[in-house]
Amino acid sequence: MEEFTGILGREPLIEEARQELKKGKHLLLSGPVGSGKSAVLTKSLDAQPARRLIFRLYATQAKGQFVGLVQQMLAADLLTAEALQLPDKFRDTPGAEIEWSHVRRHISRLSIRDLSHAIIPALADHAENGEKPLIAVDDLTFLTPTQQAFWLAVFEFAQVAGCASARKSGLKKLWWKMQVLEVPPLPPEVAAAVVKAYIAKRGV
């Protein structure tokens, strides 16, 4: 039902999110679990230019998010084997040609610090040569204050848009950098419309 909860009754919020992204702001969609934050984020990305480099991260833990970012940056040829400390046999292979299944275990063993030391310079190089990439993070709720520093470094060279069901007080530096839009629960009349639309789509 997320496709409906993210759209019905959310049109003004989606448009506001699109405008904030257009301005180049870092964006946080904040609201309770199940309020449709991820769907609003997805619809907000639709207005981005086709040429824009967008990385979408679905992991809930920071380590998984950074590993997912590395995977997508490799596929986009933004990262090199040398930057990721990959075995010598990969050193002359362009990132886009490296099979993820062959390096996933090695990269997963790297610390967040090691991953960020590869990610940050690559993002900086790309930002110098063109538009900053947009990193869309499905859930920033579980970040720790220690992990905050790594994300703040990413903020310098990429635009970040994400969701959080709670804003931890220990992450104030992160939230301060982001334009926060609240995603409240749907009003009863809109929730009823969602159910009707879902039933009609399912043919129940």
Side-chain angles (χ1 to χ4, degrees), residues 7 16 76 139 149 158 164 189 195:
I7 299 171
E16 186 176 1
D139 197 346
E189 63 274 13
V195 173

Side-chain angles (χ1 to χ4, degrees), residues 10-199:
R10 302 297 193 194
E11 294 85 355
L13 182 59
I14 291 169
E15 183 56 31
E16 186 176 1
R18 285 173 175 163
Q19 291 302 319
E20 294 299 335
L21 291 176
K22 187 176 180 180
K23 295 174 187 175
K25 299 283 187 67
H26 299 302
L27 177 68
L28 180 71
L29 298 171
S30 178
V33 174
S35 60
K37 299 182 296 298
S38 294
V40 171
L41 178 59
T42 296
K43 293 299 293 182
S44 301
L45 299 177
D46 289 349
Q48 293 299 308
R51 69 179 185 280
R52 184 101 193 255
L53 192 57
I54 300 176
F55 301 120
R56 187 73 194 262
L57 310 180
Y58 295 98
T60 57
Q61 301 298 326
K63 176 67 177 291
Q65 291 165 355
F66 274 64
V67 169
L69 183 54
V70 165
Q71 180 181 6
Q72 294 177 55
M73 288 178 69
L74 264 177
D77 214 16
L78 265 64
L79 278 171
T80 65
E82 184 177 2
L84 294 167
Q85 307 168 34
L86 295 178
D88 289 342
K89 64 180 180 179
F90 295 108
R91 291 302 167 100
D92 295 325
T93 306
E97 296 178 18
I98 296 175
E99 289 285 339
W100 178 248
S101 60
H102 295 164
V103 298
R104 178 177 55 202
R105 182 175 295 181
H106 172 89
I107 290 172
S108 296
R109 288 174 177 169
L110 296 175
S111 67
I112 294 181
R113 184 179 299 277
D114 288 336
L115 292 169
S116 67
H117 283 172
I119 289 169
I120 303 303
L123 289 175
D125 287 345
H126 182 79
E128 280 185 9
N129 298 319
E131 191 174 28
K132 288 183 177 181
L134 173 57
I135 302 174
V137 192
D138 210 48
D139 197 346
L140 290 166
T141 306
F142 302 104
L143 285 183
T144 67
T146 301
Q147 294 161 350
Q148 173 179 235
F150 298 112
W151 270 109
L152 286 172
V154 170
F155 276 33
E156 295 300 315
F157 306 106
Q159 185 180 12
V160 177
C163 305
S165 56
R167 280 178 277 162
K168 294 179 182 177
S169 58
L171 301 178
K172 286 181 180 178
K173 289 182 180 178
L174 195 72
W175 310 142
W176 182 81
K177 290 266 189 181
M178 306 181 84
Q179 179 66 39
V180 179
L181 296 182
E182 297 291 343
V183 183
L186 288 169
E189 63 274 13
V190 177
V194 169
V195 173
K196 288 179 181 178
Y198 180 76
I199 291 173

